[in-house]
Amino acid sequence: EMIRTFKVRDNYPDFITVDGSEGGTGSAPPEHTNNVGMPLLDGLVMLRGKMKKWGLDENIKIIASGKIIDSFDVVRAIALGANGVNIARGFMFSMGCIQARICHRDRCPVGITTQKKHLIRGLVVEDKYQRVYNFHRNTIKAVKHLIGGMPNVENIKDITADKVFRRVEGGEIKSLKEIYSL
């Protein structure tokens, strides 16, 4: 029904965010993060396939979110169909997250995910902002380095699943296109 409505009214959402079941930063109870949902990359591939099938891939952008930490995670998500990514975990680490996995309890010992004044004191913005800035800058720089070494890729939009390779079980090298049967 959503597809019919989009096409009839020519009124598409700007984007859809696909978030994986990998657990994020601990902001959900373990029962959810350990047992509910599907991994980001599988969901991303499935959504991109459905969007192409339904003729929506030109109208709606896909944002990948879930356990994206480093430059390879960014490139891999783009290769599998994302137009952009959300990074939370890497930024949390750059702020000093110790993965206490109690974000949902308002008791973060380093002051990142709490509203309790005695714990917030541990998060000194004047000390952390440079680390966050450096993480962001260096991640972008590393993405540029990765795509700079890829043949026939001059722009991040040129990245496709047949141009990104991974070592799989047994030491064999396969493209993401082969791994995900695209």
Side-chain angles (χ1 to χ4, degrees):
E1 183 59 24
M2 284 175 42
I3 296 162
R4 186 189 66 73
T5 304
F6 293 159
K7 289 183 176 181
V8 168
R9 295 186 182 154
D10 193 30
N11 185 20
Y12 301 91
D14 295 327
F15 63 90
I16 295 173
T17 300
V18 179
D19 197 352
S21 64
E22 290 84 357
T25 58
S27 58
E31 300 81 28
H32 290 242
T33 59
N34 294 339
N35 301 298
V36 178
M38 73 173 20
L40 168 66
L41 300 178
D42 295 336
L44 177 59
V45 169
M46 184 182 79
L47 177 61
R48 178 53 72 192
K50 296 290 185 189
M51 300 240 328
K52 283 183 181 181
K53 177 181 174 183
W54 297 327
L56 297 172
D57 54 322
E58 295 297 319
N59 300 93
I60 304 170
K61 303 296 182 201
I62 296 176
I63 299 172
S65 180
K67 208 170 185 178
I68 295 177
I69 300 170
D70 62 24
S71 59
F72 184 79
D73 295 335
V74 173
V75 169
R76 180 176 47 201
I78 300 295
L80 292 175
N83 300 99
V85 299
N86 287 331
I87 299 176
R89 190 177 298 214
F91 282 104
M92 297 288 283
F93 291 161
S94 72
M95 291 173 61
C97 173
I98 61 169
Q99 289 190 293
R101 299 187 52 82
I102 55 172
C103 309
H104 61 291
R105 295 187 184 154
D106 195 31
R107 295 193 325 237
C108 175
V110 292
I112 297 171
T113 61
T114 184
Q115 297 299 310
K116 295 186 176 181
K117 289 185 184 209
H118 70 284
L119 294 171
I120 290 175
R121 284 191 299 245
L123 181 64
V124 181
V125 175
E126 294 78 18
D127 294 341
K128 303 294 183 178
Y129 83 90
Q130 192 66 43
R131 292 176 59 179
V132 172
Y133 167 76
N134 287 337
F135 172 77
H136 186 256
R137 186 191 67 211
N138 290 327
T139 301
I140 291 171
K141 187 176 177 181
V143 167
K144 290 178 181 180
H145 282 281
L146 280 175
I147 64 176
M150 299 171 77
N152 303 316
V153 175
E154 294 182 21
N155 186 302
I156 199 162
K157 293 178 184 179
D158 298 333
I159 298 171
T160 54
D162 60 328
K163 296 176 184 172
V164 179
F165 294 85
R166 288 296 312 251
R167 186 177 313 276
V168 295
E169 199 171 310
E172 187 179 1
I173 305 291
K174 288 188 175 185
S175 71
L176 293 181
K177 184 176 182 176
E178 293 172 294
I179 294 169
Y180 287 92
S181 302
L182 301 173

